[in-house]
Amino acid sequence: MTPTSTGPRFGGLLLRGLLTAVFVAAAGMKFAAVPFEVAGFARFGYPLWFMYAVGAAQALGAILLWGRATVAHGALLLAVVMVGAAVSHLRAGDPVTMAVPALVLLGLTGGLAYARRGEIVPTGFRASRA
């Protein structure tokens, strides 16, 4: 009988579930044009259409977190969105504490992308060295 571990599998499912909930909620607020989101994008100097594009990227990233062999792609997409969010807050002169949620989500999505990096670069792939 071989021992099995559900810890890493359960942890990964839990993380993907939490990230999905956060990003679906965030995308929904953008698609609903919640005044808080509209005001934030205007304060950052972005056009209204960009808010919808970010919402679409968040929704797509959340969907990709559940596809077979697309988890890393979704996590990378969401990480890029979080880099943009953190930079936007800092460029707008917001206190660093306003960028903390984006930075935490960046760490989680980046860690997930790293853990699933085999989906992007096959494990057997080796760059040739000259």
Side-chain angles (χ1 to χ4, degrees):
M1 186 158 105
T2 60
T4 59
S5 173
T6 59
R9 183 176 304 205
F10 177 74
L13 286 172
L14 181 63
L15 177 59
R16 289 189 292 153
L18 290 172
L19 289 172
T20 298
V22 167
F23 285 107
V24 166
M29 289 191 299
K30 288 171 182 66
F31 291 141
V34 172
F36 167 78
E37 292 287 351
V38 174
F41 275 78
R43 191 168 48 80
F44 295 149
Y46 299 136
L48 188 59
W49 66 263
F50 189 66
M51 178 182 74
Y52 294 109
V54 170
Q58 290 174 322
L60 176 61
I63 291 167
L64 290 174
L65 291 180
W66 295 98
R68 185 177 203 108
T70 62
V71 176
H73 295 90
L76 278 176
L77 174 59
L78 294 171
V80 168
V81 171
M82 289 302 96
V83 167
V87 169
S88 294
H89 279 291
L90 297 176
R91 265 192 38 218
D94 291 343
V96 174
T97 55
M98 292 288 288
V100 168
L103 294 171
V104 169
L105 289 168
L106 171 61
L108 293 172
T109 55
L112 182 57
Y114 180 77
R116 302 292 290 257
R117 66 191 177 278
E119 295 172 3
I120 297 172
V121 179
T123 55
F125 178 78
R126 301 239 184 227
S128 61
R129 295 180 186 215

